[in-house]
Structures are given as C-alpha cells and as structure tokens.
Amino acid sequence: MHFTTTSEAVRAWVHGWALSRGAGEPDPAPWGFTVTAGPPRHAVSHVLTTADAATVREVTAGTTKPGVRLKAFVRAEAIAPWIAPGWSLSGEPGHLMSAPLHPARTPALLPLLPHGYRLRTWTRDGVTYARVYAADGTQAARGQAAVTGATAVVDKVETHPGHRRRGLGRLIMRTLTDAAAEQGATVGLLASSAEGRALYESTGWAVSAPLANALRGADPAGRAERPDHRPARMTRAGTHDTAASGQAYP
C-alpha cells in the first residue's frame, strides 16, 4: 500500500489514532476530521488533511473552546502566523512517519530481550499493546498499535529513562509491527516527536510530512463557547495538499 499524497496518509492515520486513543469515529469536515476522546477528559482534536492559510485561519477562528487541539501536517513556522488569537503552538514540532510492514519470517529475528526483563502483549478491540517489565515488576517500556484495514498506526511508544539504550524501544516497535502484519496491515504510520525520530528511522521508518500542534487557550475576547466544540461552518474549504517533507506524538 502506497500513499500518493499527504492528505491520503493523514486520512488513514487519523482513523487508527482515534481507535488507539479510545475515541469515537472521526467526525469528517471539509478540512479534515474532529476526534473526540472518551471520558474522563473528552479531549477534542481538529486534524487537518489540508492546511493552507485560509483553512487554518477559519478553523481556529471558529473554535472558542479552551483545550481544543489542532494538528496540521505543515511546518510549525508556517502555521504560526495563520492561527487565530487565543491559539498557540503546543509542544515541539513532530513528523508523520511511515514504513512498509512485512510478516515476521521467524521469531528469532526479534531483538533480544535483555536479561531480567519480561515482555507482555495482548490485543483488545483492535488495538495491540506491548509492555516490557523490569525484574522488580515496574514498567520499563510500552507501546501500542491500532489496525484499520491495511494500515497500522503505532502509538504511545516510550521507554522509561532508567531503562534506555538497552534495545527496548526496538523490541516494542518490532513486536507491534509484526503483530500488525499478522493482522493484515501492509503499511505503518505514526506521529513522532523530534526526539523519537532517530529510533524510528533506525528501524526502517521514513518521514512523510512535518507535524505542527496548536492549542486553544482561554478566549481573549470573552466570546461564548460553541456547545459542540466544533469550528463554525467554513465559507470555503482549503484545497492545498501539503507536500511531504521532513516516542510517538501526543
């Protein structure tokens, strides 16, 4: 499976990301999708499949609920002047990354589990979870992957600082991608922080697009919030498809 545009890859990623996060089905809009995670926080994210200046301005100007997040697959320096008052860039810029998936040829090809560690995996409601525990029972590394059709979205990959540089991140990634391939996935997607990029590239992943995150703060004008947390209806939809360029992202 091959994505010919960034928009196509983002559409595939958002469905797997929503499944991984326990959210409802992404709500489509002319500019992309709104994803609402379940309780207790009911976090809302607007994910743009296309992100030009007009689209970003209209979506952010029409969203007044504090705490709503925006994900746009453009460089942070490009989106910064487009967002409306009350919004700010959130966290470090990241990347949308992808990789072809192949069924494991033999379990022997898995990275070795260091002495004293224990790996546990299980699948529930379309999401496969992998956890590595240290000898004292504490969690050393974790990750999960959601399969939707031919796409697997790897998510929430992290290694505890006290257990890094022991190959646990590679083990988690290989375990998740092998499980996804066994479930029929042929391509993997993930949203990576800048810090996590090196790990993923070392395991065969490549950057497909930049990723910028923005957060809606308190409304400086004191306007009333929209009860459904969604932006006001746009007068036009963005049409620009952003070209691809250069620890899984929140």
Side-chain angles (χ1 to χ4, degrees):
M1 184 176 183
H2 175 67
F3 299 113
T4 57
T5 65
T6 298
S7 294
E8 185 181 356
V10 173
R11 289 187 182 95
W13 173 80
V14 72
H15 285 86
W17 181 69
L19 177 61
S20 173
R21 297 299 172 103
E25 185 70 14
D27 186 14
W31 39 262
F33 298 89
T34 295
V35 176
T36 304
R41 293 190 304 159
H42 295 284
V44 176
S45 297
H46 298 320
V47 179
L48 305 186
T49 53
T50 58
D52 57 15
T55 301
V56 172
R57 285 170 182 154
E58 292 197 51
V59 172
T60 55
T63 303
T64 60
K65 176 70 175 178
V68 174
R69 296 184 179 275
L70 181 81
K71 293 183 178 293
F73 295 82
V74 294
R75 295 186 182 280
E77 57 266 31
I79 197 176
W82 299 345
I83 54 180
W87 286 82
S88 61
L89 295 181
S90 175
E92 294 295 322
H95 313 279
L96 179 67
M97 303 186 73
S98 63
L101 302 183
H102 307 286
R105 287 173 289 178
T106 170
L109 294 178
L110 279 172
L112 292 177
L113 186 64
H115 178 71
Y117 288 92
R118 174 173 58 91
L119 172 66
R120 181 189 175 211
T121 62
W122 72 97
T123 300
R124 183 175 64 240
D125 298 329
V127 181
T128 296
Y129 302 86
R131 301 286 187 270
V132 175
Y133 297 96
D136 62 0
T138 59
Q139 182 174 280
R142 59 169 289 173
Q144 59 199 58
V147 175
T148 56
T151 303
V153 172
V154 177
D155 191 24
K156 293 189 175 182
V157 175
E158 58 183 354
T159 301
H160 188 279
H163 299 277
R164 291 176 181 170
R165 299 188 181 279
R166 302 181 189 183
L168 300 183
R170 285 174 172 267
L171 176 65
I172 290 288
M173 288 296 295
R174 182 60 186 271
T175 299
L176 292 173
T177 54
D178 281 357
E182 290 175 1
Q183 297 172 51
T186 58
V187 63
L189 292 169
L190 61 81
S192 168
S193 65
E195 181 182 6
R197 176 178 174 176
L199 166 65
Y200 302 128
E201 287 183 328
S202 71
T203 57
W205 293 67
V207 171
S208 297
L211 169 60
N213 292 269
L215 176 67
R216 183 61 164 85
D219 194 330
R223 294 173 295 183
E225 299 171 0
R226 289 180 57 82
D228 59 3
H229 312 330
R230 290 176 295 180
R233 181 179 295 275
M234 296 172 60
T235 57
R236 59 185 179 278
T239 57
H240 175 64
D241 178 34
T242 306
S245 61
Q247 201 150 136
Y249 222 83

